């Protein structure tokens, strides 16, 4: 008569036909609550649900509850092929539908596909559950936006950081959290992102529920459907407030250092161990007679020495002591003139003890050296005059006096 026979079903399930008949008859006259209770108790691997015209709504509702509450795959058996009924059956997530009369080959294929589909769905649900748990308890701030750029989901870390509950955030506009002076820029970036443009990391400041300002670095990726439409956007944010504050303080410190470095009246420099000039302040550039810092930086420190042996001696002292103070030497300017300088320098080393660079200061002592040389000459002149006077006193006769004067002259 076209019905699904006990023999067919027994053959597919691999059990005796009498056992199938007994089990089917036991389920046949059950109402909704009894059917649910029995399915809950026995936990079958598969449920066949016959749909009749008279009980179509109730049959489908029972199947829907078995599928949703007990996670058991359901195959419908129906003698009618009305589109409305088939659509309703499909909407409840059925694992298959057989139209009477049932073909034995169709039965086999439908059962295999139903169990295979159920296995895949179960693995997918397990993976999704593990993924959601990982997202929920991740240290990173994770959230998703729907196609209208509103919060779709947030993890625990994100809601705790923002001091809002998940319920307060979901469905709200993320721009409401952005500080007012950055809101227009962030809105423009979000528009481009949801238009499919490649947008780099977004850096923005937001306000928590209690008004605390925090800096976030956000990376995102869109999720597309088969038609190429964006259905949601997955975002990961990091709290970079401390890093931003450190960068701000570091910048300020560098600016202060640079101001001091450039403003100090003595020459300051930094060179590599092989003599390449890394940095110099304006005072040093002017001292050595170069028109600008770029031209000076193109020079090699070793080429400035009048006496190359001075550099060798200084490097030996640095290697031995790590620092040299008051080392006097002569340097040559681009115009050929020579100046005396006093160098104080130290070796800067890395964690392994390797020299990274030398940092030091140069003071122009040319005038001091000239004064010392002039003083030395004057001392020598006075000493000569003094010796002459002693000889004058010792010589009483004119001849000896004149002779002494001629010798001294």
């Amino acid at each position: 008569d076209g019905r699904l026979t006990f023999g067919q079903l027994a053959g597919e399930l691999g059990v005796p036909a009498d056992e199938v008949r007994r089990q089917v008859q036991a389920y046949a006259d059950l109402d909704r609550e009894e059917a649910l209770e029995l399915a809950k108790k026995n936990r079958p691997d598969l449920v066949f649900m016959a749909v009749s015209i008279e009980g179509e709504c109730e049959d489908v509702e029972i199947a829907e509850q078995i599928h949703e509450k007990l996670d058991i795959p359901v195959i419908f058996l129906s003698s009618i092929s009305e589109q409305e009924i088939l659509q309703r059956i499909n909407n409840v997530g059925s694992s298959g539908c057989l139209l009477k009369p049932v073909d034995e080959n169709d039965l086999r294929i439908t059962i295999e596909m139903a169990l295979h589909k159920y296995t895949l769905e179960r693995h997918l649900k397990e993976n999704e559950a593990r993924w959601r748990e990982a997202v929920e308890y991740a240290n990173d701030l994770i959230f998703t936006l729907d196609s209208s750029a509103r919060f779709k989901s947030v993890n625990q870390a994100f809601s705790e950081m923002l001091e809002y509950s998940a319920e307060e955030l979901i469905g709200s506009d993320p721009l409401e959290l952005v500080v007012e002076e950055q809101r227009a820029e962030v809105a423009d970036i979000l528009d481009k992102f949801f238009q499919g443009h490649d947008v780099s990391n977004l850096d923005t400041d937001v306000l928590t529920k209690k008004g605390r300002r925090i800096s976030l670095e956000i990376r995102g990726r869109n999720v597309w459907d088969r038609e190429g439409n964006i259905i949601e956007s997955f975002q990961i944010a990091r709290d970079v407030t401390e890093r931003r504050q450190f960068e701000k303080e570091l910048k300020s410190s560098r600016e202060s250092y640079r101001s001091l470095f450039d403003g100090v009246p003595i020459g300051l420099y930094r060179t590599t161990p092989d003599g390449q000039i890394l940095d110099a302040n304006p005072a040093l550039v002017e001292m050595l007679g170069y028109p600008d810092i770029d031209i000076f930086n193109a020079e090699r420190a070793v080429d400035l020495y009048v006496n190359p042996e001075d550099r060798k001696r200084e490097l030996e002292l640095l290697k031995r002591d790590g620092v040299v103070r008051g080392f006097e030497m002569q340097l040559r300017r681009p115009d050929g003139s020579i100046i005396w300088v006093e160098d104080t320098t130290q070796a800067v080393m890395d964690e392994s003890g390797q020299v990274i660079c030398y940092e030091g200061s140069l003071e122009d002592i040319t005038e001091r050296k000239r004064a010392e040389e002039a003083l030395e000459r004057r001392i020598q002149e006075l000493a000569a005059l003094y010796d002459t006077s002693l000889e004058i006193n010792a010589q009483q006769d004119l001849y000896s006096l004149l002779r002494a004067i001629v010798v001294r002259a």
Side-chain angles (χ1 to χ4, degrees), residues 46-63:
L46 187 64
V47 170
F48 282 91
M49 178 67 66
V51 180
S52 63
I53 298 178
E54 296 81 6
E56 178 258 320
C57 290
E58 183 175 358
D59 295 338
V60 174
E61 289 174 359
I62 294 174

Side-chain angles (χ1 to χ4, degrees), residues 277-292:
I277 299 172
L278 299 175
D279 199 4
N281 70 341
L284 181 61
V285 175
E286 181 180 358
M287 178 195 305
L288 296 178
Y290 284 85
D292 57 57

Side-chain angles (χ1 to χ4, degrees), residues 309-323:
E309 293 299 318
D310 286 341
R311 177 171 173 79
K312 292 181 180 179
R313 288 191 298 110
E314 188 174 27
L315 290 178
E316 288 174 358
L317 292 172
L318 279 170
K319 184 177 181 180
R320 186 189 70 187
D321 302 328
V323 63

Side-chain angles (χ1 to χ4, degrees), residues 120-321:
L120 292 178
E121 289 177 346
R122 184 178 63 185
H123 288 165
L124 180 60
K125 288 178 181 179
E126 291 173 354
N127 290 335
E128 286 181 347
R130 284 194 292 267
W131 180 81
R132 291 187 182 279
E133 183 177 6
V135 168
E136 180 64 21
Y137 297 105
N139 293 325
D140 287 332
L141 315 178
I142 301 176
F143 62 93
T144 60
L145 303 177
D146 60 22
S147 57
S148 59
R150 290 182 172 270
F151 284 116
K152 183 178 180 180
S153 66
V154 297
N155 73 339
Q156 182 176 331
F158 187 82
S159 60
E160 289 178 353
M161 177 63 68
L162 273 297
E163 299 168 345
Y164 287 95
S165 68
E167 291 74 17
E168 290 176 304
L169 290 171
I170 293 174
S172 66
D173 186 351
L175 291 176
E176 296 175 358
L177 302 175
V178 179
V179 294
E180 186 174 355
E181 62 270 24
Q182 298 177 11
R183 198 168 295 167
E185 180 184 359
V186 174
D188 182 58
I189 293 174
L190 280 178
D191 286 342
K192 292 179 180 178
F193 189 72
F194 274 89
Q195 291 171 11
H197 295 287
D198 185 19
V199 178
S200 59
N201 292 355
L202 170 62
D203 292 337
T204 187
D205 290 351
V206 299
L207 295 177
T208 68
K209 189 174 183 179
K210 296 180 180 179
R212 185 167 55 93
R213 182 169 180 151
I214 60 175
S215 297
L216 296 180
E217 182 182 78
I218 305 173
R219 293 176 285 122
R221 183 177 182 182
N222 289 327
V223 180
W224 310 73
D225 62 17
R226 293 181 179 179
E227 286 73 35
N229 302 312
I230 297 175
I231 55 177
E232 69 175 4
S233 178
F234 182 82
Q235 306 284 333
I236 298 179
R238 293 182 185 273
D239 179 7
V240 293
T241 306
E242 291 185 1
R243 191 177 82 190
R244 290 287 181 266
Q245 183 62 30
F246 174 76
E247 290 172 350
K248 183 178 179 182
E249 292 174 357
L250 181 61
K251 181 181 179 182
S252 176
S253 176
R254 284 175 175 170
E255 290 174 349
S256 298
Y257 166 78
R258 194 74 223 182
S259 177
L260 178 63
F261 185 82
D262 290 343
V264 76
I266 62 174
L268 300 178
Y269 66 86
R270 183 183 294 115
T271 69
T272 64
D274 63 356
Q276 179 183 352
I277 299 172
L278 299 175
D279 199 4
N281 70 341
L284 181 61
V285 175
E286 181 180 358
M287 178 195 305
L288 296 178
Y290 284 85
D292 57 57
I293 184 67
D294 294 330
I295 295 178
F296 178 66
N297 283 344
E299 295 284 353
R300 294 178 68 248
V302 66
D303 296 330
L304 302 176
Y305 287 78
V306 172
N307 183 3
E309 293 299 318
D310 286 341
R311 177 171 173 79
K312 292 181 180 179
R313 288 191 298 110
E314 188 174 27
L315 290 178
E316 288 174 358
L317 292 172
L318 279 170
K319 184 177 181 180
R320 186 189 70 187
D321 302 328

Side-chain angles (χ1 to χ4, degrees), residues 60-78:
V60 174
E61 289 174 359
I62 294 174
E64 185 174 13
Q65 292 189 45
I66 290 175
H67 178 70
E68 291 183 355
K69 294 183 178 181
L70 304 179
D71 192 25
I72 298 173
V74 177
I75 294 178
F76 287 94
L77 299 173
S78 178

